[in-house]
Amino acid sequence: MDNRIGIYTGIAAGAMIAMISLPATAQTQTSDLSSLQPRTESGRQIYDVGQFSRFNPRTALDMVRQVPGFTIDTGDSDERGLGQADENVLINGARISGKNIDAFTFLGRISAANVVRIEIVDGATLSISGLSGQVLNLVTNASEASGISGNFKWQPQWRRSGNNWFAGEASISGKLGKGDFTLSIENDAARNGVEGPERVTDRFGNLLFARDEVARYRQDQPKLSGSYSRTGDGGSVFNANAAYQLYRKRESVATDRTQVGQPDIFELYSSNEDEWNAEFSTDYEFALGGGRLKLIGLQRFEHSPVSDFFGQTFFDGTTPPNGSRFDRITDEGESILRAEYGWKTTGGTDWGISVEGAYNFLDNEGALAVLDAQGVFQPIPLTNANSKVTEYRGELITSYGRPLSDDLTLQATLGGEYSKISQSGAKGQSRSFVRPKGSVSLAWKPQPGIDLSLKVERSVGQLDFFDFVESVDVSQNNGNAGNPGLVPPQSWRAELEATRKLGPWGSLTVNIYGEKFSDIVDSIPITATTEARGNLDSATSFGVGVVSSILFDPIGWRGAKLDLDGELRKSSLRDPLTGIHRRIGDDKIFTYEVTLRHDIPNSQWAWGAGAEDFRYSDTLRLDQTTRFRTGAPYTWVFVEHKNIFGLTVKADLGNLLGRSEKFTRTAYGTLLGQPGDLDPPFIRGRRDGPLGFVEDRSREFGLIYRLTVSGSF
């Protein structure tokens, strides 16, 4: 076992024991509306709107972000279909429907004036299958007035690589007939860039050549969305959501390559994508018999043309330029119909049954071309790039929940799914699967202020349909052959979560989990010279996460709060090439974020600072490994004024410690020729063979200046 994991897990287990053994802090009422100490009602921790007044919130999201010890978890956006609830935010007791909208987006559209209260409850105590651990329920009271209200936010950013003026969002809400509507427009824009040197050495550390690189990234994602909801006189609830989005990406890396005794080379990599996507979802819930029936429908479509190019221009006056281009046009879609029926019986027992049918597809066309001596692109045949992958899937899940005692609640689900995956083209085939699914959750309150949650779950993962088709990475001169034999991965996961309310001091949550996978997807050999993503027999993962908020009011530093969110993870699988156990490729090793915020009493000012960092394991192919590391934590400071002509204005200065991005690629094979050759040939090999060359890159991006201007009307 990794020593850090053992130490961290031991600390976490000790923290759980301490949570239980410490005497409960009395939940006292306070007349100080700036206090963030919740009151307890029927096992729920409740925060009133006035308790967030010191933050001058514009939206519900502004409030939720200040709830001590709570972090929004949006679940897995790549989850199969709609499935059971996995997002830890509810709105008026109901999960957020749709896949193109998450809790951050939804909460950001709700005006703070429409929030009644915020409740924190253990998910296993709710009549919503799939939830466990700490769940936030936002209770709203939509205005009965016919007027329009709204929120807006503008987030310009300035950095060495370019200025970004176009990031922001705005939404309006109001009454429409007997229902409520919201319209919003947003743009997740980015103008990023890094630059720095790269050294390429042979297996003995001899310098082959050096690069001076300038990378630039431009992104715009304008999105128009709307929603409508209506509650009927008989208690029926209707919701509809629609969204249309454009995605425009421009990425380039311009490189000056130098070699001792050889002419310089200019290298250019570029990648362009012009996507559009659309989604429409609707649900209708009503009373039927002795329970309630909810019908859900979703339709999603995406069209993505992508073009990647890599070329070299030689300054020796004789060598013609070379280059390669990979073009891909992909259409993706998802159609889902789902029905959920729930009812109660004596003793407070909840019963439920859900049925879901889904159709997913990916229709891909890919083409590779290489420059000839005359500078004309000539096509290179690909075997498995033009193909359509489809999946038909059906799922049936039953659920059962009941209180076992006043402080212990059980929730269990059992069911399974049937899926049929087909692929057209040269390597097409069709296969079908039956997979069991289910979970058991226990929620226990051993004493006031302490919540324990245990969940054991059997789940089926979603395949990435791009792994079925052939693709080429022209920047690294490699590719994936595509594998039509992929099967969905499965896993067993056990999770123990403990939350300790610290009274006026805040809150602490510790989460320990372990997971065992079967048919996990990783790189496997297809032929002696090609590879693709394929299934491995098994893998394991376990880790610990901590979420905490410490309030400093009890020591006299009123209005100050420290938030911590961190996770440490260890994983293991047997490498299909070497047979040695290693981490899962590109798997999380650790993440953390620490933020200090001080709202100065009796003023409109707030200030704060923070730091965050992360590390992931190496990404492995059969012929190379790549490693990404940060040179330092990302750190920032901010100052905020909550009322400048009715607006909240926040100024943020980031990257104070000068974080850089460090990238290392180790390629295996035989490097022919001498270090002084203009472009020494390379014969690819496997990771169990000789090392060919090493690329060692470091890029910097300097200070980042950001302004956030938000308001409401």
Side-chain angles (χ1 to χ4, degrees):
M1 177 185 289
D2 187 302
N3 288 335
R4 293 173 301 171
I5 293 286
I7 294 171
Y8 202 171
T9 304
I11 293 173
M16 286 188 172
I17 295 173
M19 289 179 190
I20 299 174
S21 60
L22 285 173
T25 302
Q27 300 294 320
T28 59
Q29 297 293 329
T30 175
S31 60
D32 181 2
L33 294 181
S34 68
S35 171
L36 291 179
Q37 182 179 356
R39 70 180 191 276
T40 301
E41 289 184 7
S42 303
R44 301 188 176 206
Q45 302 292 324
I46 298 178
Y47 295 88
D48 295 315
V49 173
Q51 293 178 267
F52 300 94
S53 60
R54 76 187 194 193
F55 304 110
N56 192 27
R58 304 285 180 174
T59 68
L61 181 61
D62 295 336
M63 294 182 179
V64 171
R65 281 177 165 160
Q66 303 303 331
V67 173
F70 181 81
T71 298
I72 295 175
D73 182 0
T74 58
D76 185 359
S77 60
D78 295 325
E79 189 79 15
R80 292 169 73 76
L82 290 172
Q84 302 177 81
D86 64 348
E87 196 168 39
N88 66 347
V89 173
L90 304 175
I91 308 297
N92 295 320
R95 61 186 288 197
I96 298 171
S97 62
K99 300 188 72 172
N100 201 29
I101 180 173
D102 59 22
F104 288 100
T105 303
F106 202 96
L107 293 171
R109 297 174 184 172
I110 299 175
S111 173
N114 291 335
V115 177
V116 176
R117 64 182 180 274
I118 293 174
E119 304 174 343
I120 303 295
V121 61
D122 195 300
T125 63
L126 302 172
S127 303
I128 301 177
S129 177
L131 288 180
S132 65
Q134 295 293 288
V135 174
L136 183 145
N137 179 41
L138 184 81
V139 180
T140 65
N141 181 18
S143 173
E144 295 296 330
S146 59
I148 299 295
S149 64
N151 304 287
F152 59 89
K153 181 183 294 183
W154 180 46
Q155 294 179 294
Q157 177 180 281
W158 302 269
R159 56 190 295 175
R160 187 166 63 193
S161 59
N163 301 328
N164 181 18
W165 298 92
F166 307 109
E169 58 188 89
S171 65
I172 59 172
S173 302
K175 302 293 292 185
L176 182 62
K178 295 184 178 181
D180 300 284
F181 79 93
T182 298
L183 290 175
S184 68
I185 185 169
E186 60 184 284
N187 184 24
D188 183 11
R191 302 292 186 270
N192 301 333
V194 290
E195 51 198 55
E198 178 182 270
R199 287 170 52 88
V200 181
T201 59
D202 64 15
R203 72 184 70 178
F204 305 108
N206 299 313
L207 180 66
L208 296 175
F209 52 86
R211 289 182 170 123
D212 187 14
E213 300 183 327
V214 177
R216 294 292 182 264
Y217 182 87
R218 303 290 184 267
Q219 168 190 295
D220 285 290
Q221 296 187 79
K223 178 180 178 181
L224 178 64
S225 57
S227 64
Y228 178 77
S229 63
R230 176 178 174 178
T231 300
D233 295 336
S236 62
V237 180
F238 173 78
N239 294 290
N241 299 280
Y244 179 81
Q245 183 176 41
L246 300 176
Y247 175 65
R248 184 177 185 270
K249 182 197 75 174
R250 298 292 182 265
E251 182 179 1
S252 68
V253 182
T255 303
D256 292 321
R257 172 173 154 177
T258 58
Q259 266 176 276
V260 177
Q262 295 291 342
D264 294 344
I265 302 174
F266 176 74
E267 299 176 337
L268 177 65
Y269 166 74
S270 65
S271 177
N272 299 332
E273 181 172 1
D274 292 285
E275 172 193 311
W276 65 266
N277 61 76
E279 178 180 304
F280 177 76
S281 64
T282 183
D283 62 78
Y284 181 57
E285 181 180 349
F286 56 96
L288 180 67
R292 292 185 67 83
L293 176 64
K294 187 173 186 178
L295 304 175
I296 308 171
L298 180 143
Q299 180 65 57
R300 182 180 63 85
F301 189 82
E302 180 179 309
H303 177 70
S304 305
V306 179
S307 181
D308 295 341
F309 168 81
F310 178 78
Q312 294 178 314
T313 302
F314 300 85
F315 291 96
D316 59 357
T318 58
T319 305
N322 66 43
S324 55
R325 187 181 71 205
F326 180 67
D327 297 321
R328 183 178 68 196
I329 299 177
T330 306
D331 291 327
E332 298 178 76
E334 183 174 27
S335 304
I336 302 173
L337 291 175
R338 181 177 177 87
E340 301 173 346
Y341 184 68
W343 69 99
K344 290 182 178 290
T345 58
T346 57
T349 302
D350 292 304
W351 297 87
I353 184 169
S354 64
V355 181
E356 180 172 303
Y359 167 68
N360 299 328
F361 76 88
L362 180 145
D363 194 351
N364 188 82
E365 295 181 4
L368 176 66
V370 176
L371 279 176
D372 62 17
Q374 287 71 44
V376 178
F377 277 105
Q378 299 296 334
I380 303 297
L382 298 175
T383 304
N384 190 32
N386 298 329
S387 181
K388 184 174 183 178
V389 184
T390 62
E391 180 184 29
Y392 291 91
R393 184 179 59 82
E395 174 188 275
L396 174 65
I397 300 289
T398 59
S399 64
Y400 169 84
R402 59 163 297 180
L404 302 180
S405 66
D406 291 340
D407 52 20
L408 182 64
T409 303
L410 167 71
Q411 184 188 93
T413 66
L414 180 64
E417 70 167 43
Y418 167 83
S419 66
K420 180 180 180 180
I421 300 177
S422 303
Q423 183 175 0
S424 66
K427 296 185 178 181
Q429 57 178 279
S430 179
R431 295 153 299 130
S432 59
F433 312 93
V434 176
R435 298 283 192 261
K437 304 169 76 171
S439 65
V440 176
S441 300
L442 288 170
W444 180 37
K445 294 182 68 67
Q447 62 186 57
I450 296 179
D451 293 278
L452 297 178
S453 176
L454 174 65
K455 182 176 183 179
V456 178
E457 182 179 22
R458 171 72 169 181
S459 62
V460 180
Q462 175 63 48
L463 289 168
D464 185 346
F465 286 176
F466 281 105
D467 292 338
F468 284 75
V469 298
E470 187 173 3
S471 62
V472 178
D473 184 346
V474 295
S475 66
Q476 305 293 341
N477 193 26
N478 58 42
N480 284 320
N483 182 8
L486 284 165
V487 302
Q490 305 170 81
S491 68
W492 282 100
R493 179 183 175 95
E495 183 175 0
L496 175 63
E497 181 178 289
T499 297
R500 178 71 159 96
K501 295 299 181 181
L502 305 176
W505 289 95
S507 176
L508 171 66
T509 297
V510 178
N511 182 287
I512 299 177
Y513 63 87
E515 195 162 9
K516 183 175 177 57
F517 303 91
S518 57
D519 294 325
I520 191 171
V521 177
D522 207 289
S523 292
I524 65 169
I526 297 296
T527 68
T529 57
T530 62
E531 65 180 276
R533 304 286 286 174
N535 296 106
L536 301 181
D537 289 338
S538 64
T540 58
S541 174
F542 59 94
V544 56
V546 175
V547 177
S548 181
S549 293
I550 304 298
L551 309 178
F552 296 103
D553 292 48
I555 62 173
W557 192 10
R558 296 185 60 246
K561 179 165 71 83
L562 182 70
D563 293 315
L564 168 66
D565 186 355
E567 183 180 352
L568 184 63
R569 182 157 69 203
K570 173 71 173 178
S571 62
S572 177
L573 59 73
R574 187 180 294 276
D575 190 282
L577 183 65
T578 65
I580 299 174
H581 283 277
R582 60 166 172 84
R583 288 182 183 268
I584 298 172
D586 196 31
D587 190 48
K588 182 187 297 182
I589 298 176
F590 72 81
T591 62
Y592 72 82
E593 180 175 343
V594 182
T595 305
L596 172 69
R597 179 184 174 98
H598 181 212
D599 291 85
I600 301 173
N602 304 315
S603 80
Q604 297 289 341
W605 290 94
W607 66 275
E612 63 88 14
D613 205 355
F614 62 89
R615 183 160 297 175
Y616 283 75
S617 60
D618 296 351
T619 300
L620 292 92
R621 292 175 51 86
L622 298 185
D623 60 357
Q624 64 185 257
T625 65
T626 57
R627 172 176 294 180
F628 179 87
R629 294 289 186 266
T630 57
Y634 182 81
T635 54
W636 68 92
V637 295
F638 74 87
V639 61
E640 176 181 297
H641 196 284
K642 305 167 192 176
N643 188 4
I644 298 181
F645 300 108
L647 304 175
T648 298
V649 179
K650 178 180 177 182
D652 186 301
L653 177 60
N655 200 27
L656 302 177
L657 297 182
R659 169 190 275 185
S660 59
E661 298 178 351
K662 299 182 181 299
F663 175 86
T664 302
R665 180 166 78 112
T666 303
Y668 294 80
T670 303
L671 189 65
L672 306 177
Q674 302 297 321
D677 292 345
L678 183 63
D679 200 9
F682 177 67
I683 300 176
R684 292 185 179 276
R686 300 295 202 193
R687 282 188 283 107
D688 57 353
L691 189 151
F693 63 87
V694 177
E695 295 177 351
D696 195 357
R697 174 191 309 159
S698 179
R699 293 173 173 173
E700 298 180 347
F701 54 91
L703 292 172
I704 298 177
Y705 306 86
R706 184 181 292 113
L707 188 68
T708 302
V709 181
S710 58
S712 56
F713 57 89

